[in-house]
Amino acid sequence: FKVQVQVPLEIFMDTPLYLVNHGETGPIRCNRCKAYMCPFMQFIEGGRRYQCGFCNCINDVPPFFFQHLDHVGRRIDHYERPELSLGSYEYVATLDYCRDKKPPKPPAFIFMIDVSYRNIKSGLVKLICDELKTLLDKLPRIGHDFEENKRHEWNNKKHLAVWKLEWGKQRWNESNLLDQIPELFADTNESETIFAPVIQAGMEALKAAECAGKLFIFHSSLPTAEAPGKLKNRDDKKLLNTDKEKTLFQPQGNYEALAKDCVANGCCVNLFLFPNQYMDVASMGLVTMYTGGTLYKYNNFQLETDSPQFLSDLRKDIQKKMGFDATMRVRTSTGFRATDFFGAIYMNNTTDVEMAAVDCDKAVTVEFKHDDKLNEDTGALIQCAVLYTSMSGQRRIRIHNLGLNCSSQLADVYRTCETDALINFFAKSAFKAVLSQPLKTVRDILMNQTAHMLACYKKNCASPAAVSQLILPDTVKVLPVYMNCLLKSCVLAGRPEIPTDERAFHRQLVMAMGVADTQLYFYPLLLPIHSLDLKSDAVPAAVRCSEERLSEGGAFLLANGLSMFLWLGASVSPELIQGLFNVPSFAHISTEAISLPNLDNPFSKKLKHILEQIQSQKPYTMKLMIVKQREQPEMLFRQFLVEDKNIYGGASYVDFLVCIHKEISQLLS
């Protein structure tokens, strides 16, 4: 029997961690397996030695770290030391953990703007420049030891404005520079763009400055100019549902090599795309994914309606908690081992996870395989160590320790199963597989794994029941509904109506998501806001994502982390309409609005507060779409009612249950 444990590691959390500093000695580590000092180390021989909880090696305690043990064999300073009593903490790293054994410099940000004809004429370039004026004061700064100097360079021939930000002792009028960029390119007729050399230039600038950093690239078209990284339009619908469909997700050109170079130099790439046609996201987004960056996409960008979403994303991104030039290693106790890693990461070997940057919205999902005997008394131990450079330029090691119970009883495994983590793992492993396998094969594997898991439970754990009965363990009751949502997702659907770039974009987003984000992405939140209780702070209970739950007299809010809809039934009460929109009737509601008006009434204030709450917990800004029952935009909204059969032919939840029940019955017979 093989057990797979999926642990999504959210490396950068919001809570500050204790910082342990052993000076020039550095962190204390096991001589054999190199695990860091943690609560799993057992002190022996009066505190002079310790046994490693991961490999059982006996190590000497360094003289400076010695402490006596109490009557139960615990060090008397146990609760005073974070590394002995906490699951998560950080070490200050010594020069041995730094590039070329030199202390790192604080990371830099470089802003690179596509100034081709379309972006100038649409007003996008001016919008970006105006916003950067206000963002300069919001850039992350730690303490007062930063230098402030700014350097700019333009390369007119390549139609790009490049601007590098560092910190220094002088301040000068950067507003002038930002005012000049739109004017300098005001008369451009250049519509062809480059892309790979832009990343190369940014990486070289960081190399020259001998620091890690992040590129913010604002780009709007397929790079077709004669230059390295030139791409051709390969959006071929004839490849759908063939063995060659996987090539649509594979990068073309030399972007993989470029991504590798960026990771090696601690250069993270954030990409803001503004397409109005095919851009080859699979190729252009690859560098972003491998370097731990974030991909943003605003289709058919309109200044008036899309600026708030874009500017909110940019502001949030710049102020994220993050680390640079990171390497992650996962160690385990005997009996199981980490075998696969999924996320916005690069791997040069089978053990080291490399990230040019890692932020608070990224999670790495790790698959562990149980391949030897596990001890039920000591459990299974995991230690995740991330070496990184902080925003202040300090080299640190972030440690997360986790101890899991072991059981010889299969029923215990099912009883403690976490469906949300399972779906995160299945989604990432499937989205990784689409690069190398036909989509039908990927879908079949998912169906097969679901059926096997449930058949195994029915055969070994459930009380005897008729073959015709579908029996699901309590903890996995929602697994089929989530699995159906995954199978119907735009990445795995393979329908000509879904643009290839959209599928590549969603694939990349999910690969970097944590558990809470994949949960909401695959099964959206649907709130009946007509049931708001204005006398309490409570939010109405969410309802199932099905048309059956909608009512003509109701108003419903739907959110999945990327999109947000306010659906209004044709008979919704005039009081609700007046309270939210300040108009007299359903007919007067405008669906063009992208936000609710600020009105001084309890209903409006409460809904606004709920919207802000949902938004604050998610990395991407969700643009609000107002949908009226039986009007054209309702088609888009209905795609998110994931329990129903969708317009692209995806099965309803009930139909999927019937299908999975047949599979289970066949396996058991």
Side-chain angles (χ1 to χ4, degrees):
F1 177 63
K2 181 181 77 173
V3 176
Q4 294 177 328
V5 186
Q6 290 82 37
V7 182
L9 294 165
E10 305 210 8
I11 299 160
F12 269 63
M13 306 168 297
D14 287 334
T15 320
L17 297 178
Y18 282 97
L19 189 61
V20 180
N21 191 345
H22 289 321
E24 291 181 11
T25 312
I28 298 168
R29 304 178 68 178
C30 171
N31 290 329
R32 184 193 291 162
C33 71
K34 302 301 179 192
Y36 292 85
M37 178 57 66
C38 69
F40 303 140
M41 304 305 189
Q42 184 68 44
F43 289 88
I44 54 175
E45 296 179 23
R48 288 185 297 276
R49 306 178 90 186
Y50 69 91
Q51 183 172 21
C52 175
F54 296 91
C55 69
N56 299 321
C57 175
I58 306 292
N59 297 267
D60 291 328
V61 172
F64 81 89
F65 196 69
F66 172 78
Q67 187 53 270
H68 295 285
L69 308 183
D70 65 13
H71 65 288
V72 293
R74 176 183 283 170
R75 284 173 58 121
I76 58 175
D77 64 351
H78 177 85
Y79 290 109
E80 294 161 30
R81 290 191 176 272
E83 69 271 38
L84 299 183
S85 56
L86 297 178
S88 298
Y89 45 87
E90 290 195 317
Y91 280 112
V92 174
T94 59
L95 292 180
D96 288 338
Y97 294 85
C98 302
R99 283 178 191 264
D100 305 321
K101 302 209 170 179
K102 292 196 306 195
K105 294 179 182 176
F109 287 176
I110 303 182
F111 296 87
M112 315 179 91
I113 307 165
D114 167 2
V115 290
S116 56
Y117 174 82
R118 196 178 125 231
N119 286 0
I120 292 287
K121 290 295 175 264
S122 70
L124 179 61
V125 173
K126 186 176 187 316
L127 178 74
I128 294 167
C129 291
D130 287 347
E131 180 61 22
L132 288 179
K133 288 182 205 173
T134 62
L135 281 180
L136 290 182
D137 293 325
K138 295 177 183 171
L139 290 172
R141 305 176 188 210
I142 312 288
H144 301 285
D145 57 346
F146 283 115
E147 298 189 351
E148 284 197 15
N149 67 68
K150 291 151 181 101
R151 176 170 71 82
H152 66 270
E153 53 187 84
W154 293 286
N155 187 335
N156 199 7
K157 190 168 176 237
K158 297 300 182 193
H159 335 299
L160 201 93
V162 180
W163 191 31
K164 179 170 182 284
L165 296 187
E166 297 164 337
W167 316 117
K169 290 177 182 157
Q170 299 174 356
R171 187 166 180 85
W172 63 287
N173 191 356
E174 63 272 348
S175 293
N176 280 352
L177 164 63
L178 288 162
D179 287 336
Q180 288 170 32
I181 290 174
E183 292 168 15
L184 271 171
F185 300 96
D187 299 324
T188 185
N189 291 316
E190 190 57 67
S191 58
E192 282 198 320
T193 59
I194 58 167
F195 184 66
V198 176
I199 298 173
Q200 190 75 38
M203 182 178 67
E204 294 298 337
L206 292 174
K207 265 169 83 174
E210 296 183 330
C211 68
K214 180 149 72 162
L215 311 184
F216 290 80
I217 302 179
F218 307 93
H219 196 88
S220 67
S221 61
L222 191 71
T224 54
E226 285 301 332
K230 175 185 175 181
L231 296 173
K232 62 179 190 291
N233 190 330
R234 55 179 183 138
D235 188 14
D236 188 356
K237 301 289 185 195
K238 292 197 292 293
L239 299 181
L240 297 181
N241 300 308
T242 71
D243 282 359
K244 289 188 176 176
E245 185 173 3
K246 59 180 178 277
T247 61
L248 297 173
F249 295 105
Q250 295 165 356
Q252 56 174 320
N254 62 347
Y255 283 95
E256 196 144 347
L258 180 59
K260 188 177 175 181
D261 285 349
C262 284
V263 174
N265 289 287
C267 172
C268 171
V269 179
N270 261 19
L271 187 52
F272 295 79
L273 295 177
F274 305 87
N276 62 358
Q277 55 191 10
Y278 177 74
M279 275 188 83
D280 198 351
V281 170
S283 299
M284 295 178 72
L286 185 80
V287 182
T288 299
M289 184 147 91
Y290 276 1
T291 61
T294 307
L295 180 63
Y296 300 90
K297 189 158 78 75
Y298 312 93
N299 298 335
N300 304 308
F301 183 84
Q302 300 294 318
L303 212 62
E304 283 182 18
T305 54
D306 298 313
S307 294
Q309 183 190 14
F310 158 57
L311 295 178
S312 171
D313 281 339
L314 179 57
R315 288 165 195 158
K316 281 209 287 192
D317 197 292
I318 274 177
Q319 295 176 70
K320 274 182 186 181
K321 291 182 180 176
M322 63 187 308
F324 290 86
D325 199 9
T327 303
M328 181 177 100
R329 175 75 70 93
V330 177
R331 294 177 174 86
T332 59
S333 52
T334 53
F336 75 121
R337 60 198 166 88
T339 54
D340 215 344
F341 301 83
F342 308 89
I345 56 173
Y346 178 76
M347 295 195 71
N348 216 6
N349 55 45
T350 56
T351 53
D352 293 327
V353 176
E354 296 179 58
M355 297 166 280
V358 57
D359 65 52
C360 55
D361 293 320
K362 304 285 189 301
V364 180
T365 303
V366 186
E367 181 179 14
F368 297 87
K369 283 192 179 160
H370 161 214
D371 50 13
D372 203 347
K373 194 170 182 199
L374 291 171
N375 188 321
E376 286 193 56
D377 298 326
T378 56
L381 309 179
I382 300 169
Q383 185 178 82
C384 167
V386 185
L387 174 66
Y388 75 98
T389 301
S390 72
M391 279 305 303
S392 59
Q394 188 179 49
R395 203 74 174 139
R396 294 181 181 178
I397 303 153
R398 180 164 289 202
I399 309 289
H400 293 308
N401 301 295
L402 181 65
L404 298 170
N405 291 331
C406 297
S407 174
S408 55
Q409 301 302 311
L410 201 51
D412 291 339
V413 176
Y414 281 97
R415 198 176 298 118
T416 54
C417 176
E418 290 209 25
T419 305
D420 300 340
L422 270 181
I423 283 299
N424 180 281
F425 165 74
F426 280 128
K428 289 187 179 186
S429 56
F431 285 9
K432 184 177 180 178
V434 298
L435 293 173
S436 55
Q437 297 182 55
L439 264 76
K440 186 183 183 306
T441 305
V442 176
R443 290 193 294 264
D444 288 347
I445 290 170
L446 287 172
M447 280 289 286
N448 207 280
Q449 286 175 315
T450 308
H452 264 92
M453 275 196 296
L454 300 177
C456 178
Y457 176 80
K458 188 171 181 179
K459 181 180 177 183
N460 300 292
C461 308
S463 51
V467 179
S468 60
Q469 215 173 328
L470 179 62
I471 299 172
L472 303 176
D474 283 344
T475 53
V476 190
K477 272 201 166 33
V478 292
L479 179 68
V481 74
Y482 275 114
M483 195 58 84
N484 189 37
C485 294
L486 170 56
L487 288 163
K488 291 199 291 189
S489 67
C490 67
V491 179
L492 298 182
R495 301 283 301 182
E497 302 91 338
I498 308 170
T500 303
D501 272 351
E502 202 62 21
R503 298 173 73 196
F505 173 67
H506 282 263
R507 177 187 169 270
Q508 184 159 331
L509 260 51
V510 170
M511 288 303 291
M513 281 183 184
V515 171
D517 289 338
T518 46
Q519 179 192 20
L520 188 67
Y521 173 82
F522 288 111
Y523 196 99
L525 179 74
L526 186 60
L527 297 177
I529 60 160
H530 54 274
S531 309
L532 277 182
D533 181 358
L534 301 178
K535 291 178 184 152
S536 84
D537 292 334
V539 174
V543 297
R544 291 171 67 161
C545 279
S546 171
E547 190 180 356
E548 283 180 8
R549 303 295 166 133
L550 304 178
S551 58
E552 289 221 354
F556 292 80
L557 180 72
L558 184 144
N560 78 335
L562 299 178
S563 305
M564 192 180 266
F565 297 88
L566 179 56
W567 182 91
L568 301 160
S571 308
V572 69
S573 76
E575 292 80 20
L576 187 146
I577 292 169
Q578 187 70 44
L580 286 185
F581 300 97
N582 202 25
V583 295
S585 71
F586 184 78
H588 288 85
I589 298 169
S590 167
T591 52
E592 300 299 310
I594 53 165
S595 62
L596 295 173
N598 290 313
L599 302 174
D600 190 15
N601 69 68
F603 197 86
S604 179
K605 285 179 178 174
K606 174 119 191 217
L607 182 56
K608 283 260 184 183
H609 178 65
I610 291 171
L611 292 176
E612 284 163 15
Q613 240 181 340
I614 294 169
Q615 186 59 76
S616 67
Q617 296 161 7
K618 296 298 153 196
Y620 288 89
T621 304
M622 292 175 267
K623 182 176 158 187
L624 181 67
M625 187 172 181
I626 292 160
V627 175
K628 292 160 80 173
Q629 187 178 15
R630 292 193 277 275
E631 290 195 6
Q632 184 57 36
E634 198 182 21
M635 290 290 284
L636 182 60
F637 167 77
R638 284 179 185 279
Q639 289 176 42
F640 295 89
L641 300 176
V642 290
E643 289 203 21
D644 302 338
K645 186 172 180 174
N646 73 15
I647 54 171
Y648 302 133
S652 71
Y653 171 49
V654 173
D655 290 344
F656 182 75
L657 271 184
V658 171
C659 188
I660 212 78
H661 188 201
K662 278 183 191 166
E663 292 267 335
I664 293 166
S665 300
Q666 282 175 1
L667 284 170
L668 293 175
S669 63

